[in-house]
Amino acid sequence: MANVLVIAEVKEGKLKKVTLELLSKGQELASKAGGALEAVVLGSGVEALAGEMAQYGAAKVYVADDAALAAFNGEAYANVLVKLIEASKPGIVLVGASINGKDLAPRISAKIGAGLASDCTDLDVADGKLVVKRPIFAGKAFSKITFKSDIQIASVRPNVNPLAAPNAGASPVVEKIDAAAGDVKAKILETHKSAAGKIELTEAEIIVSGGRGMKGPENYKLIEDMAAVLGAAVGASRAAVDAGWRPHGDQVGQTGKTVNPNLYVACGISGAIQHLAGMSSSKCIVAINKDAEAPIFKVADYGIVGDLFTVVPLMTDELKKLLA
Amino acid sequence: MNIIVLVKQVPDTETRIKLKAGSTDIDREGINMVLNPYDEFAVEEAIKIKEAGGGSVVIITAGEAKAEEAVRTALAMGADRAIRLDGAEFAGADSYSTAKALAKAISAEQYDLILCGKQAVDDDSVQVGTLVAAMLGIPSVNMVTKLEVAGGSMKASREIEGGHEVVEVPTPCVITAQKGLNEPRYPSLPGIMKAKKKELKAVALGALGLSADEVGAAGAKSAVVELSLPPERKAGQVFEGEAAEIVPKVVKLLRDEAKVV
Ligand SMILES: Cc1cc2nc3c(=O)[nH]c(=O)nc-3n(C[C@H](O)[C@H](O)[C@H](O)COP(=O)(O)OP(=O)(O)OC[C@H]3O[C@@H](n4cnc5c(N)ncnc54)[C@H](O)[C@@H]3O)c2cc1C
Ligand SMILES: Nc1ncnc2c1ncn2[C@@H]1O[C@H](COP(=O)(O)O)[C@@H](O)[C@H]1O
């Protein structure tokens, strides 16, 4: 009997979608492992989120509520979570493979001596133990991983697990836990938000990306316009980032972000192997390139050979009409 | 400041990955191996800090003898000496047992700062730096794009979702390097010549002071049981001609066929 513990992630007072995805998947894993699905949320004023977690199957929600936990701090959060995990002894711990999730997971792994697989895209239980699949070489291959430790931790990619139907009638069982963060050495001095409401690339369902073919930073307006119509995030190739047209955080590829949206629109991107590594698991790829020989067309579901400065605005208009 | 940099040798990002039948490793035949790109940032930052304030830069790697090429690159960039954990016992490690061995090797050194990459671009684990810090009982700051020495502490800018934050952390600490931290230098010819004479010590398990069941496959908390390649993408439809005709067609396909908008 092994319980599954989902570590919730809160953004601007709301649960992130990946948390609901993990609860949805967690129900299945818990029943295969013969245990219960539990969740934990840390923050300030977060108890109200327990209701939604119960609707997605959490039999119990641990709440660590403290003003000191209002902003994510990997050290502080890990201290609180390690105490909970040592006391409640789940068999499986799931956390979203976000920037914060990937900061947190190894801290917990080291403190409790538990195996950790990062960025998992497939999870199952066999003979009571967790078995996962995860991309290596930025998605050029996948490895299947089993665990030797009693507690097994996986950080899980957003957008790979479908949401279960919420049970509107479920009411939460809340257990308040010790929220004392203990001795925290890293102090956050300043926080800078580059753009409010910006969609994180690794979690985006649609991405519009521009490469060297954009010719200059000013032309990204074309990409942003299409992204706005689609509710999409904006990405870039390394050539565009190296030219200083876009911030580092926008880079998609082997040394940038690995993304898996439903739709990836590549504009003026040739499709170098390092770029493809980061985006070829997208469900649908559209390529816009004036060179019919560009390798991006080999992975595109729909390719448009043409000048992006004509094609992109036309497409934005067409999408606008469609989605109006 | 005494700085330790953890480096790993990885396949060049150009590499087309092929699987090796009956193995849980890729086919390494003919693959060009390089210093992990994120570790280049770590090495560069260490050398810059040393150039500005003095101290030493020691490179540590866990890997086969071939990995000494990557170590020599780091030495040619300007690091002082290096250690390679050597022996069959270290093979088959996961991030946990790798970190265990590295942390032990580090604890035999004098250090104020440990720099490493945020991620090795082969296993893409994003774990080892943080694990090492926790095992040594020191703090860590991840995905750092700007670093300043501030007395007995470090001031680090790190990437967060939709922005960045500035973190102050006392030394000794671990910092993991993200792209943007600096522009790694190319080793100069004199640098390469000098690197050949710098100390590169192979340390075996016995000298490290861990037992065989703590490292490599035996000390791992997880195991790779199978590798696979991603499903091949089916050839798609490519449209050439008048944009005004093609674009509405593609948008319609996105809605009706792909069902993504
Ligand atoms: C260690 C290492 C790591 C790397 N990591 C990454 C990574 O993470 N991500 C990444 O993206 N790259 C990465 N690269 C770089 C990669 O090899 C390519 O250089 C890069 O992806 C090229 O970017 P691009 O496609 O925008 O530019 P180019 O290859 O120059 O392609 C530009 C394309 O735009 C098209 N074009 C030009 N004008 C127009 C127009 N008016 N209309 C339509 N199309 C037009 C051209 O036909 C061309 O195909 C890495 C390289 C190395 C060595
Ligand atoms: N075998 C190793 N030897 C030395 N350093 C390593 C090793 N593996 C990982 N590292 C360091 O840890 C970082 C993160 O690696 P990973 O957690 O594997 O993605 C790398 O960029 C290296 O700096």
Side-chain angles (χ1 to χ4, degrees), chain B residues 22 25 27 78 81-83 88 93 95 108 139 172 185-186 192 204 219-220 242 247:
Chain B
D25 193 12
D27 181 355
R81 61 183 172 90
I83 294 165
S95 302
R185 70 194 67 192
Y186 289 103
I192 294 168
E242 239 356 274
V247 170

Side-chain angles (χ1 to χ4, degrees), chain B residues 113-135:
Chain B
L113 175 64
I114 299 162
L115 281 159
C116 65
K118 69 141 185 165
Q119 170 172 3
V121 303
D122 52 358
D123 61 32
D124 289 328
S125 258
V126 198
Q127 293 188 29
V128 168
T130 313
L131 290 172
V132 164
M135 288 170 181

Side-chain angles (χ1 to χ4, degrees), chain A residues 66-98:
Chain A
D66 194 290
L69 300 175
F72 177 85
N73 176 311
E75 226 181 310
Y77 274 42
N79 288 346
V80 173
L81 287 165
V82 164
K83 278 184 283 179
L84 171 68
I85 292 168
E86 281 175 339
S88 68
K89 298 215 164 38
I92 298 172
V93 177
L94 304 178
V95 60
S98 59

Side-chain angles (χ1 to χ4, degrees), chain A residues 103 118 138 148 251 280 302, chain B residues 124-125 142 166 179 217 233 257:
Chain A
D103 184 85
S118 315
K148 298 200 223 163
Q251 183 177 317
S280 57
Y302 305 105
Chain B
D124 289 328
S125 258
N142 291 324
V166 183
K179 183 174 182 187
R233 291 193 77 92
E257 192 178 75

Side-chain angles (χ1 to χ4, degrees), chain B:
Chain B
M1 197 175 250
N2 295 318
I3 307 172
I4 289 172
V5 189
L6 303 177
V7 308
K8 186 179 189 188
Q9 190 187 40
V10 298
D12 186 339
T13 56
E14 286 281 345
T15 308
R16 288 181 196 281
I17 301 298
K18 282 184 270 159
L19 303 185
K20 198 159 124 193
S23 146
T24 52
D25 193 12
I26 57 165
D27 181 355
R28 292 187 181 263
E29 179 93 18
I31 286 185
N32 185 31
M33 300 292 284
V34 298
L35 175 57
N36 181 39
Y38 293 105
D39 301 353
E40 287 182 5
F41 300 123
V43 174
E44 174 64 34
E45 198 64 18
I47 296 166
K48 271 172 58 183
I49 294 171
K50 181 188 136 180
E51 282 169 351
S56 64
V57 176
V58 177
I59 304 294
I60 303 182
T61 196
E64 292 173 9
K66 184 165 173 57
E68 294 191 353
E69 298 161 2
V71 172
R72 290 282 175 209
T73 304
L75 291 171
M77 288 170 75
D80 299 302
R81 61 183 172 90
I83 294 165
R84 181 176 66 84
L85 302 184
D86 175 45
E89 302 91 337
F90 295 105
D94 68 349
S95 302
Y96 189 92
S97 56
T98 299
K100 186 97 189 186
L102 293 171
K104 185 75 183 176
I106 292 166
S107 61
E109 297 284 324
Q110 299 273 342
Y111 61 91
D112 306 298
L113 175 64
I114 299 162
L115 281 159
C116 65
K118 69 141 185 165
Q119 170 172 3
V121 303
D122 52 358
D123 61 32
D124 289 328
S125 258
V126 198
Q127 293 188 29
V128 168
T130 313
L131 290 172
V132 164
M135 288 170 181
L136 291 170
I138 62 176
S140 59
V141 185
N142 291 324
M143 301 183 74
V144 170
T145 52
K146 192 171 168 216
L147 190 63
E148 274 170 54
V149 183
S153 55
M154 305 300 297
K155 235 171 110 176
S157 280
R158 69 181 285 266
E159 191 180 319
I160 55 170
E161 216 161 275
H164 69 276
E165 66 185 14
V166 183
V167 182
E168 188 176 55
V169 62
T171 54
C173 61
V174 172
I175 300 284
T176 78
Q178 166 68 313
K179 183 174 182 187
L181 183 60
N182 52 47
E183 280 300 328
R185 70 194 67 192
Y186 289 103
S188 66
L189 198 55
I192 294 168
M193 299 312 291
K194 262 197 243 160
K196 291 188 177 148
K197 295 194 207 84
K198 288 180 180 169
E199 178 185 301
L200 198 173
K201 201 163 74 186
V203 173
L205 185 64
L208 188 63
L210 286 174
S211 64
D213 59 2
E214 292 175 284
V215 299
K221 301 287 183 185
S222 63
V224 178
V225 291
E226 191 183 288
L227 294 189
S228 57
L229 292 176
E232 288 257 345
R233 291 193 77 92
K234 290 196 299 288
Q237 311 170 46
V238 178
F239 300 88
E240 278 184 75
E242 239 356 274
E245 280 166 31
I246 301 170
V247 170
K249 229 187 271 176
V250 171
V251 169
K252 198 162 177 313
L253 286 167
L254 289 177
R255 153 121 325 168
D256 300 336
E257 192 178 75
K259 302 190 168 61
V260 288
V261 292

